[in-house]
Amino acid sequence: MFSLEERVDLIRHSLTENEFDETVEVIGFDGLLVDFAREHDAAVLIRGMRAVSDFEFEFQLASMNRSLNPELDSIFMTPSEKNTFISSTLVKEVCRHGGDVSSFVPEH
């Protein structure tokens, strides 16, 4: 729904409203994540998994990333139970049909 520049701006704006604005840098990129990680001397990728159904894809992705860059590790985090069902696809669908998504996205 948004361009890369718009997504980066939205995330930056969200971070300025809380304690993370001093410790997190938001950088947009186009290309392979392993290349981006290498350019920024990153050693770890943090990925989120909402449900067991996410595991197979994330496992394949982590394996491919490790094949492309053996020095790059992946860490998986799970959401709190109250957020397990939320996905961008569902939020976009609710929004597209005029539903209230205010409890799922920042106000701006």
Side-chain angles (χ1 to χ4, degrees), residues 7 13-14 24 59 97 101:
R7 293 192 312 264
H13 186 78
S14 296
V24 175
F59 184 79
H97 292 286
V101 296

Side-chain angles (χ1 to χ4, degrees), residues 12-47:
R12 282 185 181 143
H13 186 78
S14 296
L15 292 175
T16 60
E17 297 173 354
N18 63 50
E19 70 276 6
F20 297 115
D21 66 332
E22 301 286 325
T23 57
V24 175
E25 184 177 3
V26 180
I27 305 170
F29 72 97
D30 186 23
L32 291 175
L33 181 56
V34 292
D35 293 337
F36 178 82
R38 190 176 289 116
E39 290 169 15
H40 293 274
D41 296 320
V44 178
L45 302 174
I46 300 173
R47 304 280 300 175

Side-chain angles (χ1 to χ4, degrees), residues 1 13 23 42-43 47 51-52 54 67-68 73 75 88 90 94 96-97 103 106:
M1 290 180 67
H13 186 78
T23 57
R47 304 280 300 175
V52 174
D54 292 339
S67 292
L68 296 172
D73 289 316
I75 293 176
S88 61
L90 288 174
V94 171
R96 188 175 295 121
H97 292 286
S103 63

